[in-house]
């Protein structure tokens, strides 16, 4: 467990820091799934301009926050081993940013934070960004900080490109490097089958491996008549990083092939920069049937059926 001494992070203004809520605060850091991801240009600073439809599953990491004299982070759960060095964890950086943006009577408050890591790390599911967003929201509530939303989103942007959309927590069209967030069209009902083959992919490596022309994008419709029309629209908006990810981790191709072969899977695609992939299903029951089949065929893979959170 890594602890920051009370007062080690700068603080400004004047707030009532009575954080002694007995029950504590709990937040879920939902998995972010990029149903599409198109590279549409490159900025002078070297970053790529993107457009992506991002949705959130009803499953993810779990964070709890309790009052304490210092800010500390404990990581548990099936993927905790990948986060043993917590010094630079985005959760602690989010805590430091919140403390730096407020001032208090006396010493700044602390929090004992527990992160139960249920999402694979470096998996294209926004886990670290979702954790940071959950920390911003949970600590703001624990410390009773009356911070306006724009200030919270400024902090989110400083922590990473995906943190703002995770803080927003609703289906969105992401543009730029992720800092421009617009509401998604009205989406039909569907469920997700999330699969990771047990490998990690670093986002910078995948972008460096990407080759090809920039995508041309068109306007999204306001809504979709049914799941079939939604899938048809997604087929015209692929994940441009998929081929690059497969060149680095060929197991991504096997995941996609197995998803495509499942009964009732209407679309199989990689999420984000990988290596996690998703299958789209009309119902959660169909997704669960697919999950059961994959767990038999590939018991070493991480497999999770999940509903898509509604707007």
């Amino acid at each position: 467990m890594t602890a920051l001494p009370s007062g080690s992070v700068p603080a400004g203004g004047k707030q009532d820091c009575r954080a002694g809520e007995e029950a504590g605060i709990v937040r879920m850091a939902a998995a972010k799934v990029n149903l599409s991801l198109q590279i549409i240009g490159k900025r002078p600073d070297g970053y790529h301009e993107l457009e992506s439809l991002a949705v959130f599953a009803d499953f993810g990491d779990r964070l709890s926050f309790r009052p304490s004299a210092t800010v500390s982070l404990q990581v548990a759960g099936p993927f905790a081993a990948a986060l043993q060095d917590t010094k630079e964890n985005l959760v602690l950086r989010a805590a430091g940013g919140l403390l730096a943006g407020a001032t208090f009577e006396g010493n700044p408050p602390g929090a004992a934070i527990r992160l139960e890591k249920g999402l694979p790390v470096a998996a294209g599911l926004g886990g670290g960004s979702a954790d940071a967003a959950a920390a911003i929201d949970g600590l703001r509530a624990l410390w009773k900080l009356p911070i306006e939303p724009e200030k919270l989103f400024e902090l989110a942007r400083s922590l990473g490109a995906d943190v703002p959309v995770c803080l927003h927590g609703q289906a969105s069209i992401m543009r730029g490097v992720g800092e421009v967030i617009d509401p998604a069209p009205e989406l039909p009902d569907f469920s997700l089958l999330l699969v990771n083959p047990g490998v990690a992919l670093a986002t910078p490596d995948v972008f460096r491996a990407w080759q090809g022309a920039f995508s041309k994008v068109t306007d999204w419709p306001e809504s979709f008549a049914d799941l079939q029309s939604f899938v048809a629209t997604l087929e015209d908006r692929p994940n441009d990083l998929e081929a690059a990810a497969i060149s680095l981790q060929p197991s991504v191709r096997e995941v996609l092939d197995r998803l495509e072969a499942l009964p009732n899977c209407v679309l199989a695609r990689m999420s984000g920069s990988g290596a996690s992939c998703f299958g789209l299903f009309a119902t959660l029951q169909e997704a669960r049937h697919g999950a059961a089949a994959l767990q038999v065929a590939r018991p070493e893979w991480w497999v999770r059926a999940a509903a898509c959170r509604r707007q």
Side-chain angles (χ1 to χ4, degrees):
M1 183 165 65
T2 300
L4 297 177
S6 180
S8 65
V9 184
K14 199 185 238 187
Q15 301 290 350
D16 180 357
C17 66
R18 290 173 297 181
E21 297 294 319
E22 294 297 324
I25 302 292
V26 176
R27 293 289 185 270
M28 184 179 77
K32 176 184 67 65
V33 183
N34 296 93
L35 299 187
S36 67
L37 196 161
Q38 294 177 273
I39 303 174
I40 61 176
K42 195 169 185 178
R43 305 184 342 172
D45 61 8
Y47 286 95
H48 291 85
E49 293 273 352
L50 308 175
E51 180 175 291
S52 175
L53 171 59
V55 299
F56 292 89
D58 67 349
F59 171 81
D61 297 338
R62 181 181 184 273
L63 288 88
S64 58
F65 311 87
R66 293 187 179 277
S68 177
T70 61
V71 175
S72 63
L73 174 63
Q74 181 184 33
V75 184
F79 295 100
L83 296 177
Q84 286 306 301
D85 183 7
T86 60
K87 293 180 181 178
E88 293 300 317
N89 191 285
L90 287 177
V91 171
L92 290 180
R93 290 176 56 193
L98 280 174
L99 290 174
T103 49
F104 309 88
E105 294 180 350
N107 289 331
I113 307 170
R114 179 180 172 87
L115 166 59
E116 296 178 22
K117 193 67 186 166
L119 293 172
V121 177
L125 296 174
S129 297
D131 294 344
I136 291 173
D137 188 50
L139 291 171
R140 178 202 56 77
L142 182 72
W143 293 336
K144 301 185 183 299
L145 298 177
I147 303 176
E148 55 270 27
E150 183 51 41
K151 291 293 184 182
L152 294 178
F153 277 95
E154 284 181 15
L155 172 58
R157 284 189 288 269
S158 74
L159 295 173
D162 282 347
V163 182
V165 75
C166 291
L167 184 61
H168 184 59
Q170 297 182 2
S172 303
I173 303 295
M174 304 168 58
R175 295 186 174 92
V177 295
E179 81 281 9
V180 180
I181 301 171
D182 293 315
E186 184 178 346
L187 303 179
D189 290 332
F190 60 88
S191 289
L192 299 161
L193 175 52
L194 306 177
V195 182
N196 184 278
V199 298
L201 275 173
T203 298
D205 293 344
V206 179
F207 272 97
R208 280 192 289 269
W210 173 77
Q211 297 178 350
F214 295 125
S215 289
K216 294 183 179 179
V217 298
T218 56
D219 291 338
W220 290 84
E222 292 184 1
S223 61
F224 299 93
D226 48 31
L227 183 59
Q228 183 179 4
S229 63
F230 179 49
V231 170
T233 298
L234 286 178
E235 287 174 341
D236 291 332
R237 291 170 165 82
N239 185 334
D240 289 343
L241 293 175
E242 205 167 88
I246 291 171
S247 73
L248 299 175
Q249 289 288 0
S251 58
V252 173
R253 180 69 265 167
E254 183 188 352
V255 174
L256 292 171
D257 289 343
R258 287 187 177 272
L259 283 169
E260 289 170 353
L262 290 174
N264 303 310
C265 179
V266 295
L267 180 71
R269 182 168 288 174
M270 188 179 78
S271 175
S273 56
S276 297
C277 301
F278 67 87
L280 215 62
F281 292 81
T283 69
L284 183 57
Q285 183 178 21
E286 290 175 351
R288 285 173 174 164
H289 285 320
L294 278 185
Q295 286 172 331
V296 170
R298 282 294 197 179
E300 73 277 19
W301 287 358
W302 178 82
V303 178
R304 168 69 67 159
C308 179
R309 286 171 55 180
R310 305 310 303 163
Q311 293 173 275

